[in-house]
Amino acid sequence: MTAAAAPGSPAPSPEPGGSAASTPHPAPGSVTGSPGSAPAAPGSATGSPGSAPTAAPAPWKGWAAVCAVALGIFCLITSELLPVGLLTPVGADLGVSDGTAGLMVTVPGLVAGFCAPLVTVGAGRLDRRLVLCVLIALTAAANLAAAVAPGFAVVLAARLLVGVSVGGFWAIAGGLAVRLVPERHVGRATALVFGGVPTASVLGVPAGTLLGELGGWRTAFAAVGALGLVTLTALVVLLPPLPPTRRITFPELPALFRENRAVRAGVAVTFLVVTGQFAAYTFVRPILQDVSGIDAGFVSTLLLGYGVAGVAGNFLAGARDAYRSLLVISGALAVILALIAVLPGAVAGTALLLAWGLAYGGVSVSVQGWMTKAVPAAAEAASSLMVAMFNLAIAAGALLGGLAVDGISAPAAPLGGAALMLMAAVTVRATALRRRPEHVD
């Protein structure tokens, strides 16, 4: 008798002590049949018994579809984070304070956290291609509306729509790679999809900020709206029909959390890692200046290097076992955050910041791989729980970091983050040990 395979392992098996909610089924997009039967074409739905087989599409079509989804993630994350570089001009133009303008970032994150499971359940039996297209169209419309908004209330309403799109798109798109490319390429394809997250930080947000400086903040929002229309076209042209493999109900989400150890652990690890990350990263500028002694003029350049390292970390982690990746990532981040809080010197600060970016870059793709492998038959439901926790943890991390900085000192934020990372590493390790296969003679 064997226990359930860890996320990232070749094939799932029943989880010890699990119930029907955690019983494995064929992965979405896979085909059932006798051993040695031909695999289903990437992107095709499993047919009914006796249905005629469909011809496999050209391999490039699956990868083109993956690239379209990755562009969607890039567009959404760019849209979510765009106001970071535009808070002051938006506030000045619309007559609100910088703190109030900051709601343009806070609100979409909170809305995304709540909407990830809501959109996943609400999508019901709708074709996932249609759902993704609608969500991207909503993002394009929201940014174009913000670009012509007469007041801050309209901008904030538009940002609510961005939150809905981010939560729903991420929850659904995260598990699509298995339906678009052959199984042996799923890890790389998932890494490519989530490559849109760090790339948005490296390219999307700086480009939007530059456009805002050159043509005004309205131009930046209009440009992201136009990017949304381009992305919508790519999804319509390149994404194949993706009928739902199963219908998800609201009672299933808490049941999945209760009855599947791997899902519970994955949600817990997501909370610990992301909260620890944003408790520290939200205050990275004062940390670099006060502890590392780095001049304020170089911080932006170093953060660009952090983003580039994050892109590399995403692809390094993408093709690897999710358990091992998260164990290494959380352990490394625990050490890095502890050191950057106490180790003075510009050289040390720079090296630690780049290592920080490299390690954290693999988080999104690794937790997605964890959840997908934990319950292949309910990948969307598991992803929605992870995405909800991910976005809520961003807000929690910023809050905890702020309390630490205001109540103690700037170095207290990364030290608190390091403690949470250590707890995440212990959780990953304990989960791996608990799920070690058991053999019977």
Side-chain angles (χ1 to χ4, degrees), residues 252-327:
E252 178 181 350
L253 297 179
L256 186 64
F257 182 82
R258 288 193 310 269
E259 298 168 3
N260 189 296
R261 290 195 191 102
V263 170
R264 288 199 303 274
V267 170
V269 169
T270 299
F271 172 77
L272 292 169
V273 170
V274 178
T275 301
Q277 163 69 10
F278 282 89
Y281 186 69
T282 304
F283 303 95
V284 65
R285 185 178 292 268
I287 292 166
L288 291 175
Q289 292 178 215
D290 297 346
V291 178
S292 303
I294 294 173
D295 187 85
F298 292 104
V299 171
S300 296
T301 302
L302 290 180
L303 291 178
L304 178 62
Y306 170 96
V308 172
V311 174
N314 173 80
F315 287 99
L316 283 174
R320 288 169 169 77
D321 176 83
Y323 264 83
R324 293 190 182 95
S325 292
L326 281 170
L327 183 61

Side-chain angles (χ1 to χ4, degrees), residues 399-410 412-413 416:
L399 176 62
L400 291 175
L403 292 174
V405 169
D406 290 343
I408 306 175
S409 64

